[in-house]
Amino acid sequence: MEPARPTETEAEITVKDLTMAYGSYVLMRDLSFSIRRASIFIIMGGSGSGKSTLLRHMIGLKEPAKGDILYGNESFTQADPADRERMLRRVGILFQSGALFSSLTLAENVGLALEEFTELRPAEIREVASLKLSLVGLKGFEDFYPAQISGGMQKRAGLARAMALDPAILYFDEPSAGLDPISSRRLDELILELRESLGTTIVVVTHELASIFTIGDDCVFLDPETRTMIATGNPRELRDHSDDPKVRTFLRRGDDGQASNEQERERG
Amino acid sequence: MKLERLPQGALRVRLAGAWGLASGLPSFDPIRRELASEPPPGRVTFDVGELKEWDSGVLSFLVRIEDLCSERGVATDRDSLPDGLRRLIALAEAVPETKDAKQEEKRPSFLERIGLGAQGVGSGAVEMVHFLGEAAGSFARLLRGRARFRGVDLFLLIQDAGAQALPIVSLISFLVGLILAFVGAVQLEQFGAQIYVANLVGIAMAREMGAMMAAIIMAGRTGAAYAAQIGTMRVNQEIDALVTMGLPPIDFLVLPRMLALCLMMPLLAVFADFVGMIGGGVVGVSMLDLPPIVYYQQSASAVDLVDFATGIFKASIFGVLIAFSGCLRGMQCGNNASAVGDAATSAVVTGIVMIIVTDAMLTVLFNIFGI
């Protein structure tokens, strides 16, 4: 049976006037944007602009200094721990390093959430875990420990774990960091596939331009100098039509405007 | 390197031979002196006709000359430099120095350091109480059957903190019993009361040393391991993953560790008591010529159940303290590799301090209540 495709205009996640701070040091302020259901949303910006910190705020690992984060129409920031847990049950996260539990095998890693939050029997848990691993191309590695596989495989296993409970929202923290171009591209294809087949809302923190243009429906651009967001919208349109030279420069890999493009052509 | 004054008042720097980082750089003083002399040179030119080899040693030397010249407003003539060097100098100068990037090393004054230290102690105490509260909450959830952890984890932890700790606990407590007996024997022999060595060793092991030595071994062995395990999980974002999966690390990681040590420590302590008495017996039999059966009977009559009970009670408290300090330091761990080492060290120190302080308090309390 096809999963019901939700209406795509609805906001799945809304960030409202968010200010992020470490103590008295304000990292970013006045962040406001919303993420449409079943879209792929990119959080981008240069190194140190607070992309990953923004993600940590959205999943409750850091508390906002000001502002609110809403899932649907429900405030996440003001929710009590039990409600937060309920909201996070719909969320899967792929951490930067994969963050697999090193004392568990891959199947146990993927199965952990199933074991704790479903009524499945052990044999069924293993089957589901095995299926999720096969989705990321790791069939046959069920009984390997994280230390026995490569970094790229760990990342894919982390994704399988994030998908264990069929989350409605998937977060990716720098998915292509440390991956070779082919694995990185496969991951992009997988992200697109997840959105197409399951209607998952996907939020990706990245500065990998190729990925941004391949998968991004919408994006937000964080600027460390002004300490706020300076652009939102479709990344391809921003590249071609943004008013802000910083955004254009970033999305064109350092080349701003036509003149330098021509120079590049002459040189090449 | 040679310096020459040209007739028009220019300074020519002649670089010759092989220049490299490995062979060291010449002193900078002659150039400084020339630049400071009267009248100052109008410009600085370079002659590199005889320069055979160069690497970034030459580059850093030239950049320093440039810096010095621009300070004094003296022009430099780079045209005579090789093409590669000129481009590298241009690259080094392309982005001007970021003024506020250099972190100011401000050494706090003595008073400031005392204040910072006191604040650290204060916030450390607050964190500790906070963690204690969380642990208590987790225990309450356990009693209501709502704590989430894997039974197999608890089993493995119990195995590690129990059976696998036996060899080292045996060795240490045997030797402690032996030492106690030696010290006692020398004193008691003077009064012809050698037989009371059995009382001394028996009571000391059962009431104090069994629990204490087992606790200190476990603090070094298991407490440090807990801090390192949990600290590594923090560095690897595994703790974040648990939190977002709705598995509170306090239930999932801390609670089973506390349970394991709290359950195993009394057993280890009783085991240590008996092994220590055997150690004492070895001294009694071999040095004091007491027949084994006499030593045994004397021990049996000297030590009663209350003595064992106080030791067992202490041991389970120590177990909680060791697990508490290990897990606390692990959860507080920073996010790099050296922080994990610090966490493990700190767990042992905290654990042992807590054990000794608690032991002193309990001993005084038992004394007051006449137990």
Side-chain angles (χ1 to χ4, degrees):
Chain A
M1 197 181 78
E2 275 283 300
R5 284 296 286 265
T7 43
E8 300 204 350
T9 47
E10 249 178 279
E12 179 84 80
I13 307 163
T14 313
V15 173
K16 256 191 193 166
D17 300 324
L18 179 71
T19 295
M20 310 193 289
Y22 286 103
S24 58
Y25 175 77
V26 175
L27 189 63
M28 281 278 148
R29 67 187 120 69
D30 304 332
L31 302 180
S32 290
F33 55 89
S34 61
I35 299 172
R36 287 175 297 132
R37 192 156 286 173
S39 68
I40 298 177
F41 188 90
I42 313 269
I43 299 173
M44 61 184 177
S47 304
S49 58
K51 302 185 294 287
S52 293
T53 312
L54 174 56
L55 187 139
R56 291 176 70 81
H57 278 78
M58 294 169 79
I59 54 180
L61 290 175
K62 259 192 78 62
E63 294 303 312
K66 204 179 120 252
D68 201 355
I69 291 153
L70 294 100
Y71 280 86
N73 294 320
E74 203 176 350
S75 167
F76 179 71
T77 310
Q78 285 151 29
D80 60 41
D83 284 330
R84 277 191 177 200
E85 205 184 304
R86 177 174 49 78
M87 288 186 228
L88 284 177
R89 195 69 42 83
R90 296 177 58 239
V91 169
I93 300 144
L94 172 60
F95 288 92
Q96 201 163 348
S97 57
L100 294 170
F101 303 119
S102 48
S103 59
L104 305 182
T105 64
L106 296 195
E108 286 170 334
N109 261 289
V110 179
L112 183 62
L114 297 163
E115 197 178 301
E116 297 293 328
F117 301 116
T118 67
E119 301 297 318
L120 295 177
R121 283 187 295 274
E124 296 163 338
I125 290 177
R126 181 156 173 110
E127 267 171 42
V128 177
S130 184
L131 168 78
K132 302 280 169 174
L133 283 171
S134 68
L135 287 180
V136 294
L138 286 176
K139 196 165 180 57
F141 287 94
E142 284 86 349
D143 294 321
F144 280 61
Y145 283 91
Q148 296 171 309
I149 57 175
S150 75
M153 288 159 90
Q154 286 182 13
K155 216 159 221 182
R156 279 186 278 154
L159 176 57
R161 187 180 66 186
M163 298 190 309
L165 291 173
D166 291 332
I169 304 165
L170 263 176
Y171 286 99
F172 291 79
D173 190 1
E174 311 241 357
S176 42
L179 290 190
D180 63 86
I182 295 167
S183 309
S184 170
R185 191 191 164 138
R186 272 207 55 189
L187 196 63
D188 284 349
E189 282 163 7
L190 191 63
I191 291 173
L192 283 171
E193 189 58 47
L194 285 173
R195 194 266 301 270
E196 290 308 316
S197 54
L198 296 169
T200 314
T201 307
I202 292 169
V203 182
V204 186
V205 167
T206 187
H207 47 221
E208 199 70 31
L209 286 179
S211 283
I212 291 174
F213 296 130
T214 318
I215 61 175
D217 296 323
D218 289 305
C219 72
V220 59
F221 187 92
L222 304 182
D223 178 36
E225 281 165 32
T226 53
R227 296 197 185 157
T228 187
M229 52 190 256
I230 53 173
T232 51
N234 180 290
R236 283 170 296 270
E237 275 170 30
L238 285 180
R239 173 188 55 189
D240 299 331
H241 306 296
S242 173
D243 305 328
D244 197 310
K246 270 190 223 165
V247 178
R248 282 200 311 266
T249 312
F250 183 92
L251 289 173
R252 290 173 185 172
R253 217 162 166 257
D255 287 325
D256 183 30
Q258 302 303 316
S260 55
N261 270 347
E262 275 160 29
Q263 277 175 5
E264 196 71 7
R265 243 171 270 139
E266 276 168 31
R267 229 185 282 167
Chain B
M1 183 187 73
K2 268 195 197 131
L3 298 176
E4 284 172 292
R5 274 295 177 116
L6 298 182
Q8 305 93 331
L11 176 71
R12 179 153 73 188
V13 183
R14 174 177 297 190
L15 307 176
W19 279 57
L21 291 170
S23 52
L25 298 174
S27 161
F28 206 68
D29 289 334
I31 294 180
R32 205 190 302 271
R33 232 176 293 129
E34 280 293 336
L35 283 171
S37 67
E38 285 299 327
R43 50 194 281 110
V44 174
T45 62
F46 302 98
D47 177 4
V48 290
E50 291 161 51
L51 185 62
K52 289 197 188 71
E53 285 172 26
W54 57 270
D55 62 9
S56 56
V58 168
L59 187 66
S60 83
F61 195 76
L62 290 175
V63 168
R64 271 178 75 188
I65 296 180
E66 293 268 348
D67 282 348
L68 211 63
C69 289
S70 69
E71 248 172 55
R72 294 175 184 276
V74 178
T76 54
D77 181 11
R78 293 185 202 170
D79 290 343
S80 49
L81 291 175
D83 200 30
L85 263 177
R86 231 183 14 241
R87 283 218 300 271
L88 284 173
I89 293 177
L91 191 64
E93 287 174 344
V95 178
E97 185 177 351
T98 314
K99 287 287 179 235
D100 49 357
K102 275 189 186 160
Q103 295 202 351
E104 247 176 82
E105 274 292 319
K106 218 182 100 205
R107 275 183 64 81
S109 71
F110 180 65
L111 273 179
E112 240 177 299
R113 266 180 293 167
I114 293 180
L116 287 173
Q119 275 183 348
V121 170
S123 65
V126 170
E127 273 179 48
M128 203 179 267
V129 172
H130 185 80
F131 190 72
L132 183 66
E134 277 189 56
S138 171
F139 192 68
R141 281 196 292 280
L142 173 74
L143 293 182
R144 280 184 290 152
R146 291 183 52 194
R148 279 212 170 91
F149 62 86
R150 300 169 84 224
V152 59
D153 283 350
L154 179 63
F155 177 79
L156 290 174
L157 289 166
I158 283 181
Q159 191 181 22
D160 179 68
Q164 291 180 3
L166 284 180
I168 178 84
V169 170
S170 318
L171 176 69
I172 300 290
S173 41
F174 181 82
L175 293 177
V176 167
L178 206 95
I179 293 165
L180 281 175
F182 259 118
V183 175
V186 174
Q187 303 300 318
L188 291 171
E189 242 182 343
Q190 298 175 1
F191 308 102
Q194 296 96 318
I195 186 66
Y196 287 104
V197 166
N199 297 44
L200 179 96
V201 173
I203 291 177
M205 285 311 295
R207 291 192 77 103
E208 282 295 335
M209 297 313 282
M212 171 86 101
M213 291 321 292
I216 287 177
I217 294 163
M218 294 309 276
R221 185 185 177 277
T222 308
Y226 289 176
Q229 285 162 5
I230 296 180
T232 312
M233 291 184 75
R234 177 163 288 287
V235 174
N236 194 22
Q237 292 184 306
E238 290 175 45
I239 303 280
D240 289 345
L242 278 177
V243 172
T244 51
M245 280 168 78
L247 299 170
I250 194 94
D251 285 11
F252 199 78
L253 299 174
V254 177
L255 186 60
R257 284 172 170 75
M258 289 212 174
L259 282 178
L261 268 184
C262 181
L263 293 173
M264 286 302 105
M265 270 299 293
L267 300 182
L268 285 177
V270 171
F271 180 77
D273 293 346
F274 285 115
V275 177
M277 287 182 212
I278 294 172
V282 168
V283 173
V285 171
S286 63
M287 220 177 95
L288 306 173
D289 296 327
L290 297 169
I293 186 72
V294 173
Y295 190 92
Y296 166 76
Q297 279 169 348
Q298 186 70 21
S299 295
S301 67
V303 186
D304 60 20
L305 209 55
V306 176
D307 295 324
F308 275 113
T310 53
I312 290 170
F313 176 72
K314 280 181 184 172
S316 46
I317 305 253
F318 294 161
V320 173
L321 292 177
I322 296 163
F324 178 82
S325 56
C327 296
L328 171 73
R329 296 306 179 211
M331 294 296 279
Q332 287 173 337
C333 180
N335 49 8
N336 57 60
S338 75
V340 175
D342 293 343
T345 312
S346 168
V348 176
V349 174
T350 314
I352 290 179
V353 169
M354 284 210 243
I355 288 164
I356 307 259
V357 170
T358 313
D359 191 31
M361 291 196 300
L362 286 176
T363 306
V364 172
L365 273 182
F366 288 154
N367 196 29
I368 291 172
F369 291 113
I371 300 170

